[in-house]
Amino acid sequence: MKSLMLLSVLAALAVAALCYESHESMESYEISPFINRRYANTFISSQQRWRAKAQERIRERSKPAYEISREACDDHKLCERYAMIYGYNAAYNRYARQLRGRK
């Protein structure tokens, strides 16, 4: 009986120690990882945004041929399957050029 009482006291202390929520454990709930839409663009200045857009335009103009053929294949499932076996150049020649010729 004595050991049962001692065991229940130890169990109660263990539960109290493990379930205690300190102030430090609540800090993660105070700051949300998501930002309001209105303030989403405040991290980057307008000049940095302009530079990023200009660099993206430059990258779009100077894409290598393999990247262009890969992007053309991304929307077509048969082209993607064919590319997994024979490569993107062969898949582009077989599917994307045929589709562009019809348009």
Side-chain angles (χ1 to χ4, degrees):
M1 185 71 172
K2 222 177 192 184
S3 62
L4 182 62
M5 187 64 114
L6 181 64
L7 186 62
S8 63
V9 169
L10 287 175
L13 287 174
V15 166
L18 293 175
C19 295
Y20 173 72
E21 287 196 28
S22 65
H23 176 68
E24 289 83 20
S25 67
M26 295 300 289
E27 286 179 358
S28 61
Y29 298 114
E30 292 173 4
I31 300 172
S32 175
F34 302 104
I35 298 173
N36 189 347
R37 290 181 189 178
R38 191 176 298 159
Y39 302 113
N41 290 328
T42 59
F43 290 106
I44 301 175
S45 68
S46 61
Q47 188 176 11
Q48 288 174 328
R49 268 185 257 140
W50 181 82
R51 280 187 191 148
K53 287 179 185 177
Q55 288 174 352
E56 182 64 27
R57 287 185 194 125
I58 291 169
R59 280 189 220 110
E60 288 289 326
R61 287 185 196 151
S62 61
K63 278 187 183 177
Y66 69 87
E67 192 172 341
I68 294 170
S69 63
R70 186 173 184 150
E71 286 180 358
C73 257
D74 281 343
D75 296 333
H76 199 269
K77 280 288 185 197
L78 291 175
C79 187
E80 279 188 53
R81 289 181 189 163
Y82 194 86
M84 294 301 260
I85 298 169
Y86 298 107
Y88 278 99
N89 284 336
Y92 177 77
N93 290 336
R94 180 168 179 158
Y95 290 101
R97 286 200 178 149
Q98 288 176 357
L99 292 174
R100 287 179 187 234
R102 290 179 192 163
K103 289 182 182 178

